[in-house]
Amino acid sequence: MEPEKNEIYEAWEPKIVMFCCNWCSYAGADGAGIGRFQQPAGMRIIRVMCSSRVDPVHVFSAFLEGADAVLITGCHLGDCHYINGNEKTLVKFNFMRSMLKELGLEEERLQINWISASEGEKFAEVVRTVTEQVRKLGPSILKPEGVA
């Protein structure tokens, strides 16, 4: 008897690539670790100087390399260390989300969130929430054969 789809997904841990702004959300990740807030293990953090430095090529490469989801985080709107970098990020994010539909992926596989350096607990909560949402979606259809 083969296991049902839900049983397979319960054992499966989503792989999520997270691009974090150096000044705010990366420091928030550090605060989550120092505060020992529980987080799923499937998150891979890439530090960028500003969320606006995340190129759509990086995001789509992450999907093609086996990521089940991508999360972009940065300073709160109006509080960017580079004046309006996160506003530029939002424009790129909306473009990339529309492209996901063209690739046959669910929009929820690409998310954005604004997390400040003092929000370690929020960082951990965002990671848990995104992981649960992606777990319900199942593995990405773009995941290459043989990639766990």
Side-chain angles (χ1 to χ4, degrees):
M1 183 173 172
E2 281 191 38
E4 288 191 32
K5 186 177 177 182
N6 289 343
E7 292 174 7
I8 294 170
Y9 288 172
E10 285 176 15
W12 166 76
E13 184 68 27
K15 291 204 177 10
I16 301 171
V17 172
M18 186 171 187
F19 293 97
C20 294
C21 148
N22 178 65
W23 304 104
C24 281
S25 56
Y26 190 80
D30 195 35
I34 291 169
R36 298 182 186 253
F37 298 117
Q38 291 286 35
Q39 302 173 60
M43 188 68 64
R44 302 295 181 262
I45 296 176
I46 299 172
R47 180 169 54 174
V48 292
M49 290 309 289
C50 177
S51 61
S52 69
R53 300 303 296 161
V54 177
D55 191 288
V57 171
H58 300 140
V59 172
F60 293 118
S61 292
F63 283 116
L64 293 173
E65 293 286 330
D68 296 300
V70 173
L71 174 60
I72 301 169
T73 61
C75 306
H76 287 278
L77 292 172
D79 200 24
C80 178
H81 281 67
Y82 297 101
I83 303 169
N84 66 345
N86 48 13
E87 293 171 10
K88 294 173 184 173
T89 303
L90 202 48
V91 171
K92 285 193 253 184
F93 171 78
N94 290 327
F95 164 75
M96 290 184 287
R97 238 184 178 190
S98 68
M99 290 303 297
L100 282 185
K101 289 181 193 174
E102 299 296 322
L103 294 172
L105 289 174
E106 300 89 346
E107 286 183 342
E108 295 82 12
R109 292 192 186 273
L110 176 63
Q111 296 197 29
I112 195 165
N113 211 298
W114 312 118
I115 303 169
S116 77
S118 64
E119 295 178 315
E121 191 168 2
K122 178 182 178 181
F123 180 92
E125 179 60 33
V126 167
V127 169
R128 287 191 302 269
T129 301
V130 171
T131 300
E132 281 308 308
Q133 290 171 346
V134 174
R135 189 175 280 124
K136 289 175 185 171
L137 295 173
S140 169
I141 61 169
L142 294 181
K143 187 174 288 224
E145 184 89 18
V147 173

